[in-house]
Amino acid sequence: MNKAVYWFTQDLRLSDNKLLNALLGSSKHMAFVYVIDPTWFEPRNYQHKSIGLQRWLFLCQSLRDLNQQLINKGHHLWLLEGDPSEQIQNVIQRNNIDCLGVANQVGWYEQQAVRKIRHGCPSLDVQSQWHTTLFNEDSMMDDMPMSSFSRFRQYVEKHDIPVVETIKCGPISWPAIITDSLVDQIPLNFEQRLNQYTQRFKFNNNKEVQANTFFGGEHNAIRHLHDYFSTDAAMRYKQTRNALDGWASSTKLSPYLALGNLCPRKIWQYLKRYEAQNGKNESTYWIGFELLWREYFQWLLLQKSRQFFMFQGHANEKPLTSYYSERFTKWCQGSTPYPLVNACMRQLNATGYISNRGRQIVASCLVNELSVDWRFGAAYFQQQLIDYDVASNWGNWQYIAGVGVDPRGGRHFNLNTQTQMYDPNGDFVKKWGGQNTVPIDSVDAADWPIL
Ligand code: FAD
């Protein structure tokens, strides 16, 4: 192959990237690109942006890490800006590129973009592989039961579906850099381009944002993975995973998985090695169990496509919820009548992260106590979460709203019981100022018409 371009998407790493390795070995010249889509920063998704400041900062860290690694190899990362399929087609046509490498992705828009490129550049050799999942598409045979997570997990365990092995290292010599200017004009350098978007957030006056708890990039991801499995935290995971706070209570691997700083196969490998060295128990099993939840949602989204985002989802009837602007705004701000919900939402707004239990509690509250359409909650999470993942986020929201594939039809968490179980002394509520409650609606009985 003469000239190849590798398009990084949700696989921001150099290791455990079979496709990248193959292209590095077979191409004479190569370039590496990432596309920033300016529409991410516009409130187009149920009034919210597709990316908030916390995830943007994490993404910038990941891109810097990747760029530095490429610089060390005599290359660099081109940051393109605009509609992804148009940008990539422009690069392909302008530079006579023969081959494009891009990871297979489960998101509908992402698949559309690749389809458009194939259509617009018919002679281009587009190569793709699965490297953001545990399994290969071949293992996801037609008879894989997808109607519930339990059936999926049981099938995987019974048939011993193999997790794809990680790859050891890349080629020793790298192809030459494509020296021409890849695009017509690149007036801004790498840092300037990232900073111009960071500035937009600052101008939006996001005062509550705290310094990042997570630091993005492949190096930080591998360090964190190593640190986590160097302690005995994994041995207690099942007992601690539902805690509302605490760094070691769960693995905190999700942000790295979401941007592909880490491959799930590498986590699986660390988990198995840890079990071999320290012994298996219910907790170590449960980490694998949760990774299977992630895996399940990835393949489910691929199967269900746009149905994954629809109000009714897979249910027989539409939910009895609607859009109440005031309630939704209060929920987003953490100013509801429910201290525990307020604390979780304030934690989310300040850090970009809340525990799985916290997510379940606030999602259930939005749908069941506030009767708001679940899609607004999912879109708000998409903006705020540092670990936003299209399949895990929309899949979990559907599940809680009772329009997913859950055979039990939705989840309603009793807020008093949850408070007694997970914050009996009120420490978590106090820490995040959740006790400042506000009535659900500003309209009081006096405003109702006399019939
Ligand atoms: P751990 O408890 O340590 O779990 C290990 C890994 O397993 C996680 O990193 C994650 O990859 C996977 N996992 C755990 N629980 C789930 C789950 N319920 N569904 C899918 N995968 C899971 N997770 C995301 O990664 N991105 C999202 O956008 C996201 N949105 C969510 C929205 C709602 C309403 C709910 C209820 C859950 C959501 N989750 C999401 C799942 C889960 O809350 C997070 O993956 C988890 O809290 C991340 O913390 P951790 O890495 O410490 O998880």
Side-chain angles (χ1 to χ4, degrees):
M1 216 136 15
N2 192 13
K3 282 185 176 177
V5 164
Y6 192 85
W7 175 18
F8 284 100
T9 54
Q10 273 117 17
D11 56 342
L12 300 179
R13 62 171 185 272
L14 291 190
S15 62
D16 295 312
N17 194 330
K18 219 174 177 175
L19 175 62
L20 175 64
N21 265 9
L23 291 188
L24 288 174
S26 62
S27 315
K28 284 196 187 129
H29 295 88
M30 261 190 100
F32 305 89
V33 300
Y34 182 82
V35 189
I36 299 170
D37 184 344
T39 64
W40 294 343
F41 304 88
E42 293 166 13
R44 290 183 177 199
N45 186 26
Y46 296 91
Q47 305 163 2
H48 288 95
K49 296 175 194 150
S50 296
I51 190 166
L53 178 58
Q54 298 283 0
R55 184 151 40 89
W56 171 249
L57 295 178
F58 190 84
L59 173 62
C60 291
Q61 290 157 355
S62 304
L63 293 171
R64 282 191 193 107
D65 180 293
L66 190 58
N67 188 34
Q68 190 53 53
Q69 291 198 63
L70 289 169
I71 289 172
N72 295 346
K73 303 284 184 194
H75 283 261
H76 65 94
L77 184 66
W78 289 90
L79 288 182
L80 311 178
E81 242 180 301
D83 174 80
S85 60
E86 282 172 19
Q87 290 299 312
I88 297 291
Q89 285 184 69
N90 178 29
V91 164
I92 302 296
Q93 283 154 1
R94 193 173 185 278
N95 301 279
N96 299 320
I97 302 293
D98 318 303
C99 174
L100 174 72
V102 57
N104 272 325
Q105 294 166 88
V106 292
W108 189 81
Y109 286 111
E110 289 77 3
Q111 289 179 39
Q112 280 293 101
V114 177
R115 258 181 231 129
K116 272 193 210 161
I117 295 167
R118 283 184 197 273
H119 188 256
C121 307
S123 59
L124 178 72
D125 173 15
V126 181
Q127 297 196 12
S128 296
Q129 274 189 18
W130 291 102
H131 56 229
T132 53
T133 51
L134 291 173
F135 307 132
N136 255 336
E137 201 176 20
D138 309 345
S139 309
M140 301 301 297
M141 61 287 283
D142 291 343
D143 47 356
M144 176 71 79
M146 297 298 287
S147 58
S148 76
F149 169 68
S150 300
R151 291 211 182 118
F152 169 81
R153 180 184 54 78
Q154 282 156 10
Y155 189 95
V156 164
E157 289 175 349
K158 189 172 161 205
H159 294 84
D160 220 357
I161 304 291
V163 168
V164 180
E165 290 209 355
T166 55
I167 42 174
K168 301 283 171 284
C169 61
I172 310 226
S173 67
W174 277 52
I177 190 165
I178 295 177
T179 44
D180 315 340
S181 178
L182 214 59
V183 284
D184 292 335
Q185 263 195 333
I186 305 255
L188 298 178
N189 70 26
F190 189 88
E191 277 307 321
Q192 286 169 331
R193 203 165 280 275
L194 294 183
N195 285 339
Q196 70 173 357
Y197 285 106
T198 311
Q199 291 307 318
R200 286 198 197 179
F201 285 109
K202 294 218 172 105
F203 294 137
N204 281 348
N205 207 11
N206 216 330
K207 277 186 192 148
E208 277 196 46
V209 168
Q210 291 184 347
N212 260 357
T213 323
F214 294 92
F215 294 95
E218 185 176 359
H219 281 100
N220 288 323
I222 293 173
R223 195 174 307 129
H224 176 61
L225 179 66
H226 180 78
D227 288 350
Y228 182 77
F229 284 109
S230 302
T231 68
D232 60 355
M235 281 291 175
R236 291 176 279 110
Y237 171 80
K238 183 129 191 275
Q239 288 77 51
T240 57
R241 61 179 281 272
N242 273 315
L244 295 173
D245 230 345
W247 183 248
S249 56
S250 63
T251 66
K252 304 294 186 295
L253 289 166
S254 53
Y256 301 112
L257 279 169
L259 284 187
N261 293 165
L262 267 185
C263 174
R265 297 163 192 177
K266 195 182 205 78
I267 302 178
W268 196 265
Q269 185 194 41
Y270 265 70
L271 176 63
K272 293 297 145 191
R273 198 189 301 151
Y274 182 87
E275 287 186 333
Q277 288 167 356
N278 302 284
K280 296 178 185 184
N281 71 7
E282 216 188 354
S283 283
T284 59
Y285 168 78
W286 217 264
I287 295 175
F289 181 99
E290 294 301 340
L291 286 171
L292 284 183
W293 259 115
R294 176 185 180 277
E295 188 74 9
Y296 173 64
F297 281 131
Q298 300 291 312
W299 296 107
L300 190 68
L301 169 55
L302 192 69
Q303 188 188 75
K304 302 286 178 191
S305 190
R306 296 172 81 176
Q307 211 182 356
F308 220 70
F309 306 94
M310 288 177 181
F311 184 41
Q312 189 168 337
H314 321 289
N316 296 329
E317 287 171 20
K318 285 190 175 164
L320 295 172
T321 52
S322 184
Y323 178 63
Y324 302 98
S325 157
E326 184 183 351
R327 293 181 185 189
F328 179 58
T329 305
K330 285 178 174 171
W331 178 83
C332 294
Q333 292 167 345
S335 299
T336 71
Y338 315 106
L340 189 61
V341 172
N342 295 347
C344 289
M345 292 306 290
R346 286 166 187 232
Q347 183 190 29
L348 172 65
N349 292 337
T351 67
Y353 180 88
I354 40 173
S355 66
N356 183 57
R357 178 58 48 165
R359 295 177 204 208
Q360 290 174 322
I361 290 169
V362 300
S364 163
C365 172
L366 186 77
V367 172
N368 298 300
E369 267 76 29
L370 306 180
S371 302
V372 173
D373 178 342
W374 66 273
R375 294 171 300 176
F376 285 85
Y380 189 66
F381 266 33
Q382 177 168 348
Q383 178 183 276
Q384 295 302 113
L385 279 176
I386 206 163
D387 64 10
Y388 169 71
D389 170 87
V390 57
S392 294
N393 187 57
W394 290 80
N396 271 292
W397 269 97
Q398 281 204 333
Y399 190 84
I400 287 181
V403 298
V405 284
D406 176 17
R408 286 203 271 160
R411 290 288 186 278
H412 190 174
F413 289 79
N414 180 305
L415 294 174
N416 289 332
T417 315
Q418 295 295 311
T419 307
Q420 280 158 21
M421 284 175 74
Y422 298 108
D423 193 29
N425 303 322
D427 296 339
F428 179 76
V429 165
K430 225 177 284 154
K431 176 174 171 185
W432 296 103
Q435 65 278 17
N436 304 320
T437 57
V438 175
I440 190 168
D441 295 315
S442 53
V443 180
D444 67 25
D447 295 323
W448 285 93
I450 298 160
L451 300 172

